[in-house]
Amino acid sequence: MTPSKQITFSRRSFLKTSTLASGGMLIGFNLFNACKPEAKVPIDLSQLNYNDFNAYIKISKEGKVTIFSPNPEIGQGVKTSMPMIIAEELDVAWEDVYVVQAPLDTENYTRQVAGGSQSIRFSWQALRQTGATAKQMLVNAAAAKWGVDASECSVAKGIITNAKGEKLGYGDVVLEAAALEVPENVTLKAPKDFTIIGKGAGNVDIDKIVTGKPLFGLDYKEEGMLYASVLRPPAFGQVLESFDDIATRALPGVVDVIVIGEKARAYLEGSKKKSWTAQLSKSDKVVVIAKTTWDAIKGKRAIKAIWKNDSELESTESHDKLLLDLLEGETFKTRRKDGNVKKAFANADKVLERIYESPFLPHNCMEPMNFFANVTSEKVHLVGPVQTPAEAAKVVSGLLDRKLEDIHIEMTRMGGGFGRRLYGDFVYEVAEISNAIKKPVKMVSTREDDMTTGVYRPATKYKIAASIKDGKLTGYHLKEASINGNMYGLIPNFFPAAALENYQVDTANYKSNITTGAWRAPYTNFLASAEQSFFDELAEVLEVDRVQLHLDLLENVKKNPEPNIEYSPERLQGVIKKVVDKSNWGKTEAGVYQGFSVYYCHNTHVAEVADIIMDNGSPIVKKVTCAVDCGIVVNPLGAMNQIKGGVIDGIGHAMYSDFGFNNGVPQSNNFSTYQLIRMAQTPKVDVHFIENDIDPTGLGEPTLPPVGAAVANAIYKATGKRLTKQPYMSNLDLEKVVG
């Protein structure tokens, strides 16, 4: 990588939002006034005097910088890391920076989405540019004021210094800077010169989080606001036939009972894109309007509703059989086909074949779904936690037949999302409710609502087969059968694509009434467990070292002139070697069993080793060593938290979490019957980064997929039992293991 990077932009492209050829985004910024030497921290930031300069950063004449963070904050840390990138190139002191969540603004921002671990990756160059261009304009203004060349000036912590040692704060030249042309060329810092990026920064909201200050959707209130609780069908495939609300209307605090659903049905009939509108069901829904959340919930529980079957209801047993039938059937779509797998299998000395199974899973965000709406003739004001605000605005516009510019969305911090808040059903419901009652209202779901009427990770089964000839691996065939489909275009190009001459990936899906969608690390969250468990067993059958098997296959990829892959074989080899070194692989003390796994997803390369012990015949995960290549690490403190959270979340769901349906009815409705990982079950997570100057990639999801296989492979070492079905603890016959 070159020491510095120059990028050319026109004034128009700088002030407006545009898409870069690299796939990033160019964001305008707000620079209102600027830094002064030795500025003191003001007591009340609201009293600072700001003058509009353009749209992302603002800096007061008192020397304090406010940076707007455009993307939704879901706990992934972008409200801290995105402003860090701007502050780095702007050359201001991080301790002088204040961060504000930006509202939805499609004119000045692009991809205001929290999903796919893509926020930093897509915005990296644009955010750097935003800071660098602002700095250059201010330097140019200072240089003109001094009558010197801008190249003679330097900047540190918001203070411009010339060759004579004279100093000007940004605030001293902001008016002059605003009148200048935007420079066509800006030079970005070399990574070696970073002073903010790469240094651990605490969460910008941490003080408010720990002291309970309003941040989340559930915290949001407006004067005169009412509360709504929505009664939805108890089973997928049912619709409302009739209801009795006499008892509800008699309860104190209940204001009204209404029915919604007509606008949702009309929108569904006319909409070509339904992927993000999963919960816009055909059924009417009964809504209780009340003075408090608890009044609304009690009122909903008093409703006597009669539901009828609108379509065939599905049981857990039928899902299992349907997926197995799909695996054995012929209704597959081939996603990638290299060579001739069928011929390789016909000529094989041996074929290893396994089926891996995973259940539906809910998202179980700590903060249940909620949203505020105030629909008036002037505008539609929406406030709350959503991962896809622009999509939500479009759907609400269609639902209510309002101009898109009438829809104003403010984003709160989210108490979890994991893909659930990609789907804005709760936004659409509250918009329809407010439109009906003509009053400001907040819809609040209960935990039971979230678990039983939500969007789920699809139940999936994989059949993986490999052919062996003369002790060599000659073919690989992956088949996927999933509820409502799971696979998408890139995954057939993940490892082991291009490592074998004969390689094929096929998919099939069963369309279900049950709403399914993205769940943390979509598509790969179980696929990685299946494939890496299979490779562990395959190495044993081949009588080769499981780590060396991966390294050798990656060497094959490097020799392939046209690999057509998404991952880097060199970077995968790098994380493998790192984790082997740091985990003390194969050299642990007696009674400690290790499992290895490596995977690429969400543009990041990860290798993991799990250490387990057996306690009274039960496996206990004591430690996970994790090697990560995500390019430049913007905020190491936040990155460590993301990595550890992903590993622990992955262990918990792989080991304990189970979910199913009986005649369309979810079989768990709260944490009393659905097991999440407990504090005492969380292992130590030892994290190691691959240091390089490659542009950063995501971290919210990539460490979750490989850990399931690392744990399963370690359990095999300890018990001799191969685990092919999650959750592991429900499918590990401990009596046989102990016996």
PDB file of all heavy atoms in Angstrom, residues 543-576:
ATOM      1  N   GLU A 543      -6.515 -39.560   6.931  1.00  0.00           N
ATOM      2  CA  GLU A 543      -5.341 -39.795   7.777  1.00  0.00           C
ATOM      3  C   GLU A 543      -4.288 -38.709   7.556  1.00  0.00           C
ATOM      4  O   GLU A 543      -3.088 -38.980   7.395  1.00  0.00           O
ATOM      5  CB  GLU A 543      -4.756 -41.188   7.529  1.00  0.00           C
ATOM      6  CG  GLU A 543      -5.725 -42.312   7.870  1.00  0.00           C
ATOM      7  CD  GLU A 543      -5.122 -43.693   7.661  1.00  0.00           C
ATOM      8  OE1 GLU A 543      -4.094 -43.805   6.962  1.00  0.00           O
ATOM      9  OE2 GLU A 543      -5.681 -44.657   8.215  1.00  0.00           O
ATOM     10  N   VAL A 544      -4.783 -37.439   7.530  1.00  0.00           N
ATOM     11  CA  VAL A 544      -3.889 -36.301   7.411  1.00  0.00           C
ATOM     12  C   VAL A 544      -4.204 -35.320   8.531  1.00  0.00           C
ATOM     13  O   VAL A 544      -5.279 -35.354   9.138  1.00  0.00           O
ATOM     14  CB  VAL A 544      -4.038 -35.591   6.043  1.00  0.00           C
ATOM     15  CG1 VAL A 544      -3.667 -36.527   4.918  1.00  0.00           C
ATOM     16  CG2 VAL A 544      -5.449 -35.053   5.855  1.00  0.00           C
ATOM     17  N   ASP A 545      -3.269 -34.444   8.808  1.00  0.00           N
ATOM     18  CA  ASP A 545      -3.478 -33.426   9.831  1.00  0.00           C
ATOM     19  C   ASP A 545      -4.573 -32.467   9.377  1.00  0.00           C
ATOM     20  O   ASP A 545      -4.563 -31.971   8.244  1.00  0.00           O
ATOM     21  CB  ASP A 545      -2.173 -32.668  10.072  1.00  0.00           C
ATOM     22  CG  ASP A 545      -2.330 -31.579  11.109  1.00  0.00           C
ATOM     23  OD1 ASP A 545      -2.280 -31.901  12.308  1.00  0.00           O
ATOM     24  OD2 ASP A 545      -2.519 -30.409  10.699  1.00  0.00           O
ATOM     25  N   ARG A 546      -5.523 -32.185  10.263  1.00  0.00           N
ATOM     26  CA  ARG A 546      -6.684 -31.359   9.889  1.00  0.00           C
ATOM     27  C   ARG A 546      -6.288 -29.929   9.537  1.00  0.00           C
ATOM     28  O   ARG A 546      -6.893 -29.330   8.653  1.00  0.00           O
ATOM     29  CB  ARG A 546      -7.735 -31.371  10.997  1.00  0.00           C
ATOM     30  CG  ARG A 546      -7.161 -31.181  12.369  1.00  0.00           C
ATOM     31  CD  ARG A 546      -8.090 -31.512  13.527  1.00  0.00           C
ATOM     32  NE  ARG A 546      -8.989 -32.618  13.436  1.00  0.00           N
ATOM     33  CZ  ARG A 546      -8.683 -33.900  13.654  1.00  0.00           C
ATOM     34  NH1 ARG A 546      -7.431 -34.232  13.931  1.00  0.00           N
ATOM     35  NH2 ARG A 546      -9.591 -34.830  13.582  1.00  0.00           N
ATOM     36  N   VAL A 547      -5.274 -29.384  10.201  1.00  0.00           N
ATOM     37  CA  VAL A 547      -4.800 -28.047   9.858  1.00  0.00           C
ATOM     38  C   VAL A 547      -4.071 -28.073   8.520  1.00  0.00           C
ATOM     39  O   VAL A 547      -4.296 -27.219   7.650  1.00  0.00           O
ATOM     40  CB  VAL A 547      -3.883 -27.492  10.966  1.00  0.00           C
ATOM     41  CG1 VAL A 547      -3.207 -26.203  10.508  1.00  0.00           C
ATOM     42  CG2 VAL A 547      -4.678 -27.251  12.241  1.00  0.00           C
ATOM     43  N   GLN A 548      -3.211 -29.058   8.332  1.00  0.00           N
ATOM     44  CA  GLN A 548      -2.446 -29.154   7.091  1.00  0.00           C
ATOM     45  C   GLN A 548      -3.357 -29.375   5.890  1.00  0.00           C
ATOM     46  O   GLN A 548      -3.074 -28.881   4.785  1.00  0.00           O
ATOM     47  CB  GLN A 548      -1.412 -30.285   7.181  1.00  0.00           C
ATOM     48  CG  GLN A 548      -0.363 -30.238   6.071  1.00  0.00           C
ATOM     49  CD  GLN A 548       0.447 -28.951   6.082  1.00  0.00           C
ATOM     50  OE1 GLN A 548       0.911 -28.513   7.128  1.00  0.00           O
ATOM     51  NE2 GLN A 548       0.616 -28.332   4.920  1.00  0.00           N
ATOM     52  N   LEU A 549      -4.461 -30.086   6.091  1.00  0.00           N
ATOM     53  CA  LEU A 549      -5.418 -30.304   5.006  1.00  0.00           C
ATOM     54  C   LEU A 549      -5.913 -28.967   4.461  1.00  0.00           C
ATOM     55  O   LEU A 549      -5.968 -28.756   3.239  1.00  0.00           O
ATOM     56  CB  LEU A 549      -6.603 -31.140   5.501  1.00  0.00           C
ATOM     57  CG  LEU A 549      -7.762 -31.314   4.507  1.00  0.00           C
ATOM     58  CD1 LEU A 549      -7.305 -32.041   3.250  1.00  0.00           C
ATOM     59  CD2 LEU A 549      -8.929 -32.051   5.166  1.00  0.00           C
ATOM     60  N   HIS A 550      -6.245 -28.043   5.354  1.00  0.00           N
ATOM     61  CA  HIS A 550      -6.707 -26.730   4.927  1.00  0.00           C
ATOM     62  C   HIS A 550      -5.599 -25.951   4.216  1.00  0.00           C
ATOM     63  O   HIS A 550      -5.831 -25.330   3.168  1.00  0.00           O
ATOM     64  CB  HIS A 550      -7.206 -25.932   6.135  1.00  0.00           C
ATOM     65  CG  HIS A 550      -8.531 -26.378   6.655  1.00  0.00           C
ATOM     66  ND1 HIS A 550      -8.665 -27.448   7.509  1.00  0.00           N
ATOM     67  CD2 HIS A 550      -9.785 -25.902   6.434  1.00  0.00           C
ATOM     68  CE1 HIS A 550      -9.945 -27.604   7.802  1.00  0.00           C
ATOM     69  NE2 HIS A 550     -10.639 -26.689   7.170  1.00  0.00           N
ATOM     70  N   LEU A 551      -4.413 -25.974   4.785  1.00  0.00           N
ATOM     71  CA  LEU A 551      -3.302 -25.240   4.181  1.00  0.00           C
ATOM     72  C   LEU A 551      -2.991 -25.760   2.778  1.00  0.00           C
ATOM     73  O   LEU A 551      -2.733 -24.973   1.847  1.00  0.00           O
ATOM     74  CB  LEU A 551      -2.062 -25.340   5.068  1.00  0.00           C
ATOM     75  CG  LEU A 551      -2.154 -24.649   6.435  1.00  0.00           C
ATOM     76  CD1 LEU A 551      -0.917 -24.970   7.276  1.00  0.00           C
ATOM     77  CD2 LEU A 551      -2.311 -23.141   6.278  1.00  0.00           C
ATOM     78  N   ASP A 552      -3.050 -27.079   2.611  1.00  0.00           N
ATOM     79  CA  ASP A 552      -2.762 -27.674   1.300  1.00  0.00           C
ATOM     80  C   ASP A 552      -3.847 -27.323   0.285  1.00  0.00           C
ATOM     81  O   ASP A 552      -3.550 -27.024  -0.884  1.00  0.00           O
ATOM     82  CB  ASP A 552      -2.640 -29.193   1.427  1.00  0.00           C
ATOM     83  CG  ASP A 552      -1.384 -29.611   2.189  1.00  0.00           C
ATOM     84  OD1 ASP A 552      -0.485 -28.763   2.361  1.00  0.00           O
ATOM     85  OD2 ASP A 552      -1.317 -30.775   2.629  1.00  0.00           O
ATOM     86  N   LEU A 553      -5.103 -27.349   0.716  1.00  0.00           N
ATOM     87  CA  LEU A 553      -6.192 -26.998  -0.196  1.00  0.00           C
ATOM     88  C   LEU A 553      -6.088 -25.532  -0.624  1.00  0.00           C
ATOM     89  O   LEU A 553      -6.382 -25.186  -1.776  1.00  0.00           O
ATOM     90  CB  LEU A 553      -7.541 -27.265   0.466  1.00  0.00           C
ATOM     91  CG  LEU A 553      -7.940 -28.740   0.609  1.00  0.00           C
ATOM     92  CD1 LEU A 553      -9.188 -28.876   1.463  1.00  0.00           C
ATOM     93  CD2 LEU A 553      -8.169 -29.367  -0.769  1.00  0.00           C
ATOM     94  N   LEU A 554      -5.661 -24.691   0.285  1.00  0.00           N
ATOM     95  CA  LEU A 554      -5.502 -23.277  -0.047  1.00  0.00           C
ATOM     96  C   LEU A 554      -4.334 -23.064  -1.010  1.00  0.00           C
ATOM     97  O   LEU A 554      -4.353 -22.135  -1.830  1.00  0.00           O
ATOM     98  CB  LEU A 554      -5.313 -22.455   1.227  1.00  0.00           C
ATOM     99  CG  LEU A 554      -6.585 -22.351   2.084  1.00  0.00           C
ATOM    100  CD1 LEU A 554      -6.262 -21.817   3.473  1.00  0.00           C
ATOM    101  CD2 LEU A 554      -7.626 -21.467   1.402  1.00  0.00           C
ATOM    102  N   GLU A 555      -3.314 -23.920  -0.928  1.00  0.00           N
ATOM    103  CA  GLU A 555      -2.235 -23.870  -1.915  1.00  0.00           C
ATOM    104  C   GLU A 555      -2.782 -24.200  -3.299  1.00  0.00           C
ATOM    105  O   GLU A 555      -2.365 -23.612  -4.302  1.00  0.00           O
ATOM    106  CB  GLU A 555      -1.117 -24.846  -1.541  1.00  0.00           C
ATOM    107  CG  GLU A 555      -0.227 -24.366  -0.413  1.00  0.00           C
ATOM    108  CD  GLU A 555       0.516 -23.081  -0.761  1.00  0.00           C
ATOM    109  OE1 GLU A 555       1.014 -22.956  -1.903  1.00  0.00           O
ATOM    110  OE2 GLU A 555       0.585 -22.187   0.106  1.00  0.00           O
ATOM    111  N   ASN A 556      -3.727 -25.146  -3.374  1.00  0.00           N
ATOM    112  CA  ASN A 556      -4.356 -25.476  -4.656  1.00  0.00           C
ATOM    113  C   ASN A 556      -5.057 -24.252  -5.250  1.00  0.00           C
ATOM    114  O   ASN A 556      -5.020 -24.017  -6.459  1.00  0.00           O
ATOM    115  CB  ASN A 556      -5.386 -26.598  -4.484  1.00  0.00           C
ATOM    116  CG  ASN A 556      -4.755 -27.923  -4.130  1.00  0.00           C
ATOM    117  OD1 ASN A 556      -3.537 -28.096  -4.261  1.00  0.00           O
ATOM    118  ND2 ASN A 556      -5.569 -28.864  -3.688  1.00  0.00           N
ATOM    119  N   VAL A 557      -5.717 -23.486  -4.376  1.00  0.00           N
ATOM    120  CA  VAL A 557      -6.429 -22.290  -4.837  1.00  0.00           C
ATOM    121  C   VAL A 557      -5.443 -21.295  -5.438  1.00  0.00           C
ATOM    122  O   VAL A 557      -5.695 -20.686  -6.487  1.00  0.00           O
ATOM    123  CB  VAL A 557      -7.199 -21.631  -3.680  1.00  0.00           C
ATOM    124  CG1 VAL A 557      -7.933 -20.388  -4.177  1.00  0.00           C
ATOM    125  CG2 VAL A 557      -8.201 -22.609  -3.067  1.00  0.00           C
ATOM    126  N   LYS A 558      -4.307 -21.134  -4.793  1.00  0.00           N
ATOM    127  CA  LYS A 558      -3.302 -20.169  -5.253  1.00  0.00           C
ATOM    128  C   LYS A 558      -2.737 -20.561  -6.628  1.00  0.00           C
ATOM    129  O   LYS A 558      -2.291 -19.706  -7.400  1.00  0.00           O
ATOM    130  CB  LYS A 558      -2.186 -20.053  -4.219  1.00  0.00           C
ATOM    131  CG  LYS A 558      -2.639 -19.331  -2.951  1.00  0.00           C
ATOM    132  CD  LYS A 558      -1.821 -19.676  -1.730  1.00  0.00           C
ATOM    133  CE  LYS A 558      -0.416 -19.170  -1.782  1.00  0.00           C
ATOM    134  NZ  LYS A 558       0.296 -19.403  -0.499  1.00  0.00           N
ATOM    135  N   LYS A 559      -2.785 -21.839  -6.954  1.00  0.00           N
ATOM    136  CA  LYS A 559      -2.304 -22.316  -8.254  1.00  0.00           C
ATOM    137  C   LYS A 559      -3.378 -22.220  -9.336  1.00  0.00           C
ATOM    138  O   LYS A 559      -3.078 -22.364 -10.520  1.00  0.00           O
ATOM    139  CB  LYS A 559      -1.841 -23.773  -8.132  1.00  0.00           C
ATOM    140  CG  LYS A 559      -0.668 -23.981  -7.191  1.00  0.00           C
ATOM    141  CD  LYS A 559      -0.390 -25.461  -6.997  1.00  0.00           C
ATOM    142  CE  LYS A 559       0.681 -25.706  -5.939  1.00  0.00           C
ATOM    143  NZ  LYS A 559       0.860 -27.154  -5.672  1.00  0.00           N
ATOM    144  N   ASN A 560      -4.606 -21.984  -8.922  1.00  0.00           N
ATOM    145  CA  ASN A 560      -5.730 -21.945  -9.858  1.00  0.00           C
ATOM    146  C   ASN A 560      -5.716 -20.614 -10.618  1.00  0.00           C
ATOM    147  O   ASN A 560      -5.826 -19.554 -10.015  1.00  0.00           O
ATOM    148  CB  ASN A 560      -7.046 -22.104  -9.083  1.00  0.00           C
ATOM    149  CG  ASN A 560      -8.223 -22.367  -9.987  1.00  0.00           C
ATOM    150  OD1 ASN A 560      -8.288 -21.885 -11.116  1.00  0.00           O
ATOM    151  ND2 ASN A 560      -9.182 -23.133  -9.485  1.00  0.00           N
ATOM    152  N   PRO A 561      -5.588 -20.649 -11.947  1.00  0.00           N
ATOM    153  CA  PRO A 561      -5.492 -19.382 -12.699  1.00  0.00           C
ATOM    154  C   PRO A 561      -6.789 -18.568 -12.708  1.00  0.00           C
ATOM    155  O   PRO A 561      -6.748 -17.352 -12.850  1.00  0.00           O
ATOM    156  CB  PRO A 561      -5.124 -19.844 -14.110  1.00  0.00           C
ATOM    157  CG  PRO A 561      -5.622 -21.253 -14.192  1.00  0.00           C
ATOM    158  CD  PRO A 561      -5.481 -21.827 -12.813  1.00  0.00           C
ATOM    159  N   GLU A 562      -7.944 -19.210 -12.572  1.00  0.00           N
ATOM    160  CA  GLU A 562      -9.232 -18.514 -12.560  1.00  0.00           C
ATOM    161  C   GLU A 562     -10.085 -19.052 -11.411  1.00  0.00           C
ATOM    162  O   GLU A 562     -11.050 -19.782 -11.619  1.00  0.00           O
ATOM    163  CB  GLU A 562      -9.955 -18.704 -13.889  1.00  0.00           C
ATOM    164  CG  GLU A 562      -9.217 -18.104 -15.076  1.00  0.00           C
ATOM    165  CD  GLU A 562      -9.964 -18.289 -16.379  1.00  0.00           C
ATOM    166  OE1 GLU A 562     -11.117 -18.768 -16.340  1.00  0.00           O
ATOM    167  OE2 GLU A 562      -9.397 -17.973 -17.440  1.00  0.00           O
ATOM    168  N   PRO A 563      -9.756 -18.676 -10.190  1.00  0.00           N
ATOM    169  CA  PRO A 563     -10.436 -19.284  -9.043  1.00  0.00           C
ATOM    170  C   PRO A 563     -11.890 -18.858  -8.863  1.00  0.00           C
ATOM    171  O   PRO A 563     -12.691 -19.625  -8.330  1.00  0.00           O
ATOM    172  CB  PRO A 563      -9.584 -18.825  -7.853  1.00  0.00           C
ATOM    173  CG  PRO A 563      -8.919 -17.573  -8.319  1.00  0.00           C
ATOM    174  CD  PRO A 563      -8.679 -17.759  -9.775  1.00  0.00           C
ATOM    175  N   ASN A 564     -12.266 -17.637  -9.256  1.00  0.00           N
ATOM    176  CA  ASN A 564     -13.638 -17.145  -9.080  1.00  0.00           C
ATOM    177  C   ASN A 564     -14.101 -17.353  -7.648  1.00  0.00           C
ATOM    178  O   ASN A 564     -15.046 -18.090  -7.359  1.00  0.00           O
ATOM    179  CB  ASN A 564     -14.595 -17.846 -10.050  1.00  0.00           C
ATOM    180  CG  ASN A 564     -16.007 -17.273  -9.963  1.00  0.00           C
ATOM    181  OD1 ASN A 564     -16.201 -16.126  -9.554  1.00  0.00           O
ATOM    182  ND2 ASN A 564     -16.992 -18.078 -10.324  1.00  0.00           N
ATOM    183  N   ILE A 565     -13.429 -16.690  -6.725  1.00  0.00           N
ATOM    184  CA  ILE A 565     -13.722 -16.852  -5.300  1.00  0.00           C
ATOM    185  C   ILE A 565     -13.884 -15.493  -4.634  1.00  0.00           C
ATOM    186  O   ILE A 565     -13.467 -14.472  -5.174  1.00  0.00           O
ATOM    187  CB  ILE A 565     -12.598 -17.637  -4.581  1.00  0.00           C
ATOM    188  CG1 ILE A 565     -11.245 -16.969  -4.831  1.00  0.00           C
ATOM    189  CG2 ILE A 565     -12.605 -19.091  -5.011  1.00  0.00           C
ATOM    190  CD1 ILE A 565     -10.105 -17.563  -4.047  1.00  0.00           C
ATOM    191  N   GLU A 566     -14.478 -15.508  -3.455  1.00  0.00           N
ATOM    192  CA  GLU A 566     -14.659 -14.291  -2.669  1.00  0.00           C
ATOM    193  C   GLU A 566     -13.542 -14.123  -1.633  1.00  0.00           C
ATOM    194  O   GLU A 566     -13.231 -13.013  -1.225  1.00  0.00           O
ATOM    195  CB  GLU A 566     -16.006 -14.335  -1.940  1.00  0.00           C
ATOM    196  CG  GLU A 566     -17.204 -14.291  -2.860  1.00  0.00           C
ATOM    197  CD  GLU A 566     -17.297 -13.000  -3.656  1.00  0.00           C
ATOM    198  OE1 GLU A 566     -17.006 -11.931  -3.081  1.00  0.00           O
ATOM    199  OE2 GLU A 566     -17.645 -13.057  -4.851  1.00  0.00           O
ATOM    200  N   TYR A 567     -12.971 -15.207  -1.163  1.00  0.00           N
ATOM    201  CA  TYR A 567     -11.989 -15.164  -0.085  1.00  0.00           C
ATOM    202  C   TYR A 567     -10.569 -15.064  -0.636  1.00  0.00           C
ATOM    203  O   TYR A 567     -10.321 -15.252  -1.830  1.00  0.00           O
ATOM    204  CB  TYR A 567     -12.118 -16.411   0.793  1.00  0.00           C
ATOM    205  CG  TYR A 567     -11.787 -17.708   0.072  1.00  0.00           C
ATOM    206  CD1 TYR A 567     -10.509 -18.254   0.132  1.00  0.00           C
ATOM    207  CD2 TYR A 567     -12.758 -18.394  -0.657  1.00  0.00           C
ATOM    208  CE1 TYR A 567     -10.201 -19.435  -0.524  1.00  0.00           C
ATOM    209  CE2 TYR A 567     -12.467 -19.574  -1.316  1.00  0.00           C
ATOM    210  CZ  TYR A 567     -11.186 -20.095  -1.249  1.00  0.00           C
ATOM    211  OH  TYR A 567     -10.883 -21.258  -1.905  1.00  0.00           O
ATOM    212  N   SER A 568      -9.622 -14.753   0.246  1.00  0.00           N
ATOM    213  CA  SER A 568      -8.206 -14.740  -0.113  1.00  0.00           C
ATOM    214  C   SER A 568      -7.535 -15.971   0.482  1.00  0.00           C
ATOM    215  O   SER A 568      -7.524 -16.134   1.710  1.00  0.00           O
ATOM    216  CB  SER A 568      -7.530 -13.475   0.439  1.00  0.00           C
ATOM    217  OG  SER A 568      -6.126 -13.632   0.483  1.00  0.00           O
ATOM    218  N   PRO A 569      -6.956 -16.843  -0.345  1.00  0.00           N
ATOM    219  CA  PRO A 569      -6.287 -18.025   0.221  1.00  0.00           C
ATOM    220  C   PRO A 569      -5.108 -17.641   1.116  1.00  0.00           C
ATOM    221  O   PRO A 569      -4.860 -18.284   2.136  1.00  0.00           O
ATOM    222  CB  PRO A 569      -5.837 -18.814  -1.014  1.00  0.00           C
ATOM    223  CG  PRO A 569      -5.856 -17.838  -2.138  1.00  0.00           C
ATOM    224  CD  PRO A 569      -6.929 -16.852  -1.808  1.00  0.00           C
ATOM    225  N   GLU A 570      -4.392 -16.581   0.734  1.00  0.00           N
ATOM    226  CA  GLU A 570      -3.256 -16.146   1.546  1.00  0.00           C
ATOM    227  C   GLU A 570      -3.714 -15.660   2.923  1.00  0.00           C
ATOM    228  O   GLU A 570      -3.074 -15.966   3.946  1.00  0.00           O
ATOM    229  CB  GLU A 570      -2.497 -15.026   0.836  1.00  0.00           C
ATOM    230  CG  GLU A 570      -1.776 -15.451  -0.432  1.00  0.00           C
ATOM    231  CD  GLU A 570      -2.682 -15.444  -1.664  1.00  0.00           C
ATOM    232  OE1 GLU A 570      -3.885 -15.091  -1.536  1.00  0.00           O
ATOM    233  OE2 GLU A 570      -2.202 -15.801  -2.757  1.00  0.00           O
ATOM    234  N   ARG A 571      -4.809 -14.915   2.958  1.00  0.00           N
ATOM    235  CA  ARG A 571      -5.283 -14.380   4.243  1.00  0.00           C
ATOM    236  C   ARG A 571      -5.877 -15.494   5.106  1.00  0.00           C
ATOM    237  O   ARG A 571      -5.745 -15.459   6.333  1.00  0.00           O
ATOM    238  CB  ARG A 571      -6.283 -13.258   4.002  1.00  0.00           C
ATOM    239  CG  ARG A 571      -5.640 -12.047   3.337  1.00  0.00           C
ATOM    240  CD  ARG A 571      -6.628 -10.962   2.974  1.00  0.00           C
ATOM    241  NE  ARG A 571      -6.984 -10.150   4.131  1.00  0.00           N
ATOM    242  CZ  ARG A 571      -7.796  -9.103   4.084  1.00  0.00           C
ATOM    243  NH1 ARG A 571      -8.350  -8.742   2.930  1.00  0.00           N
ATOM    244  NH2 ARG A 571      -8.069  -8.412   5.173  1.00  0.00           N
ATOM    245  N   LEU A 572      -6.527 -16.474   4.469  1.00  0.00           N
ATOM    246  CA  LEU A 572      -7.009 -17.621   5.254  1.00  0.00           C
ATOM    247  C   LEU A 572      -5.836 -18.397   5.838  1.00  0.00           C
ATOM    248  O   LEU A 572      -5.874 -18.828   6.997  1.00  0.00           O
ATOM    249  CB  LEU A 572      -7.874 -18.544   4.390  1.00  0.00           C
ATOM    250  CG  LEU A 572      -9.381 -18.294   4.365  1.00  0.00           C
ATOM    251  CD1 LEU A 572     -10.088 -19.397   3.596  1.00  0.00           C
ATOM    252  CD2 LEU A 572      -9.973 -18.187   5.770  1.00  0.00           C
ATOM    253  N   GLN A 573      -4.801 -18.599   5.056  1.00  0.00           N
ATOM    254  CA  GLN A 573      -3.608 -19.271   5.578  1.00  0.00           C
ATOM    255  C   GLN A 573      -3.002 -18.474   6.728  1.00  0.00           C
ATOM    256  O   GLN A 573      -2.525 -19.047   7.715  1.00  0.00           O
ATOM    257  CB  GLN A 573      -2.578 -19.459   4.463  1.00  0.00           C
ATOM    258  CG  GLN A 573      -2.947 -20.532   3.451  1.00  0.00           C
ATOM    259  CD  GLN A 573      -1.903 -20.679   2.364  1.00  0.00           C
ATOM    260  OE1 GLN A 573      -1.262 -19.698   1.961  1.00  0.00           O
ATOM    261  NE2 GLN A 573      -1.719 -21.891   1.863  1.00  0.00           N
ATOM    262  N   GLY A 574      -3.055 -17.159   6.615  1.00  0.00           N
ATOM    263  CA  GLY A 574      -2.499 -16.315   7.671  1.00  0.00           C
ATOM    264  C   GLY A 574      -3.203 -16.485   8.999  1.00  0.00           C
ATOM    265  O   GLY A 574      -2.552 -16.597  10.050  1.00  0.00           O
ATOM    266  N   VAL A 575      -4.531 -16.514   8.985  1.00  0.00           N
ATOM    267  CA  VAL A 575      -5.241 -16.670  10.255  1.00  0.00           C
ATOM    268  C   VAL A 575      -5.092 -18.085  10.798  1.00  0.00           C
ATOM    269  O   VAL A 575      -5.066 -18.296  12.022  1.00  0.00           O
ATOM    270  CB  VAL A 575      -6.738 -16.280  10.130  1.00  0.00           C
ATOM    271  CG1 VAL A 575      -6.882 -14.795   9.879  1.00  0.00           C
ATOM    272  CG2 VAL A 575      -7.470 -17.088   9.075  1.00  0.00           C
ATOM    273  N   ILE A 576      -4.972 -19.074   9.904  1.00  0.00           N
ATOM    274  CA  ILE A 576      -4.750 -20.451  10.357  1.00  0.00           C
ATOM    275  C   ILE A 576      -3.426 -20.549  11.112  1.00  0.00           C
ATOM    276  O   ILE A 576      -3.359 -21.091  12.226  1.00  0.00           O
ATOM    277  CB  ILE A 576      -4.762 -21.432   9.163  1.00  0.00           C
ATOM    278  CG1 ILE A 576      -6.181 -21.568   8.583  1.00  0.00           C
ATOM    279  CG2 ILE A 576      -4.232 -22.805   9.593  1.00  0.00           C
ATOM    280  CD1 ILE A 576      -6.232 -22.347   7.281  1.00  0.00           C
TER     281      ILE A 576
END
